[in-house]
Amino acid sequence: MDRTFVMVKPDGVQRGLVGEIVSRLEAKGLKLVAARFEVLPEKRVTEQYKEHLTKLFFPSLKKFIMGGPCFLMVWEGRDVVPIVRTLVGATNPQEAAPGTIRGDFGIDTGRNIIHASDSPESAAREIALHFRPAELSSYTRADESVIYEY
Ligand code: IDP
Ligand code: MG
């Protein structure tokens, strides 16, 4: 099974969307295998967004992400990385389709509620950045046999 890193950003936490987001991923049939609520230290924010270090928006992104607690999660499922990206929607919430998290709840790119890994390689890197292996649980969801055909 594949794993991905998902994080409700401080705007999503402050707007009370943690439960809604967890519910959507659970209802899809994905499995929550790790979670933590914390204000991210600067080093991990810089590492997580290292591809954006030179972008003009990086200083405001860093300030925003560190401005309040985030809800960090690891989710598991077959092809979970692209599945979660689809549920999350486009980076700019104005362009995100209705029914997606960003499409339903956001307006501004700088306040787009949620982060999700964009590839299996990013997912592995981001999971290892934020969680120790012992924090990841392995278990079987009771309904797995009716979620997957094989
Ligand atoms: P993603 O979150 O959909 O993967 P990325 O392009 O990887 O989007 O950008 C990472 C994050 O940086 C975005 O989710 C958003 O919070 C922020 N960001 C990206 N582009 C802009 C911008 O043009 N203005 C302000 N913030 C931006
Ligand atoms: Mg990205």
Side-chain angles (χ1 to χ4, degrees):
M1 280 292 174
D2 307 315
R3 286 176 169 173
T4 194
F5 175 69
V6 180
M7 183 176 95
V8 183
K9 297 177 181 179
D11 55 334
V13 170
Q14 283 160 28
R15 292 178 55 196
L17 291 172
V18 168
E20 170 76 28
I21 288 165
V22 170
S23 286
R24 285 183 178 212
L25 301 185
E26 281 185 325
K28 181 72 173 170
L30 302 174
K31 194 195 303 186
L32 182 62
V33 298
R36 191 190 314 116
F37 191 68
E38 68 172 335
V39 178
L40 290 188
E42 182 175 4
K43 205 174 153 205
R44 275 196 276 138
V45 176
T46 304
E47 188 58 35
Q48 168 158 323
Y49 288 113
K50 66 179 185 185
E51 70 196 277
H52 300 303
L53 281 183
T54 58
K55 308 267 173 68
L56 279 177
F57 64 79
F58 183 76
S60 62
L61 173 64
K62 187 168 83 173
K63 186 171 173 225
F64 164 62
I65 294 292
M66 293 179 64
C70 295
F71 190 62
L72 290 70
M73 296 165 279
V74 179
W75 287 85
E76 189 177 284
R78 188 187 301 151
D79 292 326
V80 68
V81 176
I83 285 172
V84 171
R85 288 288 288 193
T86 299
L87 296 181
V88 163
T91 303
N92 182 349
Q94 202 178 325
E95 291 161 10
T100 66
I101 292 165
R102 288 167 172 168
D104 287 350
F105 299 114
I107 290 177
D108 204 342
T109 301
R111 297 290 183 272
N112 64 3
I113 302 159
I114 183 167
H115 168 87
S117 307
D118 63 6
S119 68
E121 295 71 31
S122 304
R125 188 179 75 80
E126 293 170 1
I127 291 168
L129 173 66
H130 295 289
F131 289 96
R132 287 176 285 110
E135 292 179 282
L136 307 174
S137 297
S138 288
Y139 65 99
T140 303
R141 254 182 76 145
D143 54 5
E144 250 164 58
S145 63
V146 289
I147 289 169
Y148 294 97
E149 181 188 3
Y150 50 88

